[in-house]
């Protein structure tokens, strides 16, 4: 009986993290590398969290900036004006709607503009299709972000 218990415990230790990681791939919660839709270059690492069913994304690290090291949001208005891009919340208010998350907004720190946003997972949860748009989603830009482990 003790041997059976030990075997079950050992299996749980191995399978537990695998099951947790598999479950994570059904949600955008995690860390993502943003890929510029025009240049194909990695630009930043964004951490997406969920609070009360709403997603929020914050820039953890700027990988490449046209404005040099430690960029600030020069074009932003209000409380974000001239604040460091690293640590800035750029995505907020998205909630699950079927296979998508929408109803939120996304900030482009390069131009300071805020757009409506929607996103969906692709490639087994390893890619995130992020769309920012004005009015309705046909008029906007899309990026594909890569999940970081």
């Amino acid at each position: 009986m003790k041997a059976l218990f030990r075997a079950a415990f050992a299996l749980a230790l191995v399978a537990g993290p695998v099951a947790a990681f598999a479950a994570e791939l059904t949600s955008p919660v995690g860390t993502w590398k943003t890929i510029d839709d025009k240049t194909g270059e990695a630009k930043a690492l964004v951490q997406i969290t969920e609070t009360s069913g709403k997603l929020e994304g914050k820039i953890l690290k700027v990988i490449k900036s046209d404005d040099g090291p430690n960029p600030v949001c020069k074009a932003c208005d209000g409380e974000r004006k001239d604040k460091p891009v690293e640590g800035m919340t750029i995505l907020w208010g998205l909630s699950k709607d079927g296979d998508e998350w929408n109803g939120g907004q996304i900030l482009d720190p390069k131009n300071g503009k805020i757009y409506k946003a929607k996103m969906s997972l692709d490639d087994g949860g390893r890619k995130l299709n992020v769309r920012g748009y004005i009015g309705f989603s046909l008029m906007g830009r899309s990026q594909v972000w890569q999940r970081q482990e």
Side-chain angles (χ1 to χ4, degrees), residues 36-106:
D36 188 284
D37 55 308
K38 293 177 182 169
T39 65
E41 295 178 314
K43 299 295 261 184
L45 293 179
V46 173
Q47 181 178 37
I48 297 179
T49 57
E50 183 178 352
T51 305
S52 301
K54 301 281 185 183
L55 297 179
E56 182 174 283
K58 180 186 290 191
I59 296 180
L60 292 178
K61 179 180 180 182
V62 174
I63 297 170
K64 181 170 183 178
S65 170
D66 298 335
D67 298 324
N70 307 311
V72 296
C73 197
K74 295 176 195 170
C76 286
D77 292 326
E79 64 186 29
R80 292 184 182 96
K81 178 90 176 135
D82 295 324
K83 297 290 186 213
V85 173
E86 279 189 10
M88 185 174 287
T89 298
I90 62 159
L91 180 71
W92 61 90
L94 286 94
S95 55
K96 188 158 178 56
D97 182 17
D99 290 339
E100 291 186 338
W101 286 261
N102 59 41
Q105 297 181 304
I106 189 167

Side-chain angles (χ1 to χ4, degrees), residues 8-18:
F9 182 72
L11 182 60
L13 285 177
V14 172
V18 172

Side-chain angles (χ1 to χ4, degrees), residues 1 15-16 26 32 42 45 56 73 91 116 120 124:
M1 188 66 153
T26 63
W32 298 89
L45 293 179
E56 182 174 283
C73 197
L91 180 71
K116 291 181 181 178
S120 62

Side-chain angles (χ1 to χ4, degrees), residues 5 22-23 35 53 67 70 81 84 103 125 129 134:
F5 178 74
I35 307 297
D67 298 324
N70 307 311
K81 178 90 176 135
N129 299 312
I134 299 171

